[in-house]
Amino acid sequence: MRDHSNHRQVNKQEAVRIITENCRFTPESESVPIQEAIGRILAQDVCANWDNPNTLTCRMDSVAVHWADFEHGMPDTSDWVRGKQWEFANTGVAMPQGFDTAIVVEHVVFSENDTKISFDALPSGKYAGTSAAGSKMKKGDLLVEKGTKITPLIAAHIVSGNHTHVQVVKKPKVLFMPTGNELVPVGGEIPKGKNIESNSYMIAAKIEQWGGEPMVADIVPDTKEALKKALHDAAARADIIVLNAGSSKGNDDWGIEMLEEEGTIFYHQTNHGPGHHSSFGILDETPVVGISGPPAGAAFTTDYYLYPAMMVYFGKNPMLSKIKVRLGQELGGMKKHQKPAGDSAKAKGEDRPMEGGEFYSVKQLILRQGEDGVIEAYPTKTMRPGAVEAEGADAYYLMPTWEGQRPPQKGDMIEVELRP
Ligand SMILES: Nc1nc2c(c(=O)[nH]1)N[C@H]1C(S)=C(S)[C@@H](COP(=O)(O)OP(=O)(O)OC[C@H]3O[C@@H](n4cnc5c(N)ncnc54)[C@H](O)[C@@H]3O)O[C@H]1N2
Ligand code: MOO
């Protein structure tokens, strides 16, 4: 049996710190048409390519006049002629040639057939009611800063600067590597004792959602040689590897060993469950985010540990947003980890021994506003993260479970992290 006693266990905060400090990327950029750029990250500042507007324009639906006629007070307009002393000018259009000032139509009194006009208010000065050339943007003005995520509004803003394409950060290639002799691809008859490889579908979708280009490796059998080859091949092709399963203590769990032998491993496990068997290493300069095999753990540990690595690639904040909320309902009785040793209904040999020290149980919670306006957290049908019944929950909570810790009570303020 292999020795796991040297395995380094860290808490979530430490794990994210290690990931963010050790992920080093030099992303390339590419030019894409704006309509394909939504959700991408700008690789360069975008500056205006023209003066907008490029001539004096009218600000509101107005009548254009000459300031000189108003300089000394309200003029006698009885003999004014359209096209000479006044002209119609509408919102956003160029001022008619020679006119410099605009009075909104609501302050214009028209004769029955619109031939005669008078005004019930004066313009404040020359160019009142108009926008100067370049007043919205001047050629060379910074429109959007490098590093900004392109949203629909930002895309339109870039277009208004006269750009058809933008330079964006290339999508990181994130390779998901399923491992395990018992796994088979979906479809058809499933041989006895085999299990369907389903995690790749979930994780590829998350990678895409977070702005990456997902790649899925073939299922890697549980041998050191196969894993070694697969990992080096993957590192040559990908920016980030997600190594799935083979993470715990089974006699064919080689993931951690291979990382240790072939690269550098920074931590082997975390002090929370589910997700206990999450790890992080670097192999051939490629970050390897190790997550446990069971789908429930794989689901949320990618939120915890792959999301930050991808955000580092984009130069974005790798932390999940934290907020303080009020617990609206008890989170349930003592959990497995809180029970004193020997108090289990199960025989001791069925349960893994607790390693002692601080250990957190990860809960998934729904947030909604309480009657007094304070945001409250409520348990989902099951609070176990990654469970289908908990999908749709808003936040994660790390509940302390070690000896001497009192579980949070209804009404307590707790800090939760929003799901990415
Ligand atoms: N003696 C101990 N046994 C286990 C421990 C422990 O501490 N001591 N930890 C348990 C916990 S917690 C977890 S989580 C799992 C971790 O298992 P692995 O990450 O090593 O994964 P496997 O053993 O290879 O597989 C477990 C389970 O998940 C299924 N799986 C794996 N990959 C996929 C995939 N891509 N798609 C769908 N399902 C997948 C696999 O078929 C197994 O059923 O270890 C516990 N045991
Ligand atoms: O690592 Mo396991 O995901 O704690 O259930």
Side-chain angles (χ1 to χ4, degrees), residues 247-248 270 272-278 291-294 296-298 300-301 337 352 359 384:
S247 65
S248 64
T270 57
H272 57 72
H276 183 40
H277 300 286
S278 304
I291 58 169
S292 49
F300 97 96
T301 48
H337 302 308
R352 66 175 177 209
F359 200 87
R384 193 176 160 79

Side-chain angles (χ1 to χ4, degrees), residues 176 178-179 182-183 195-200 244-249 253 276-277 291-295 352:
F176 177 76
T179 73
E182 81 288 7
L183 296 178
N195 194 8
I196 294 172
E197 194 290 286
S198 57
N199 287 347
S200 62
N244 189 214
S247 65
S248 64
K249 300 183 171 58
D253 287 339
H276 183 40
H277 300 286
I291 58 169
S292 49
R352 66 175 177 209

Side-chain angles (χ1 to χ4, degrees), residues 21 84 194 250 367 378 409:
E21 277 180 12
K84 205 164 166 220
K194 297 287 180 187
L367 303 181
Y378 288 88
Q409 312 288 304

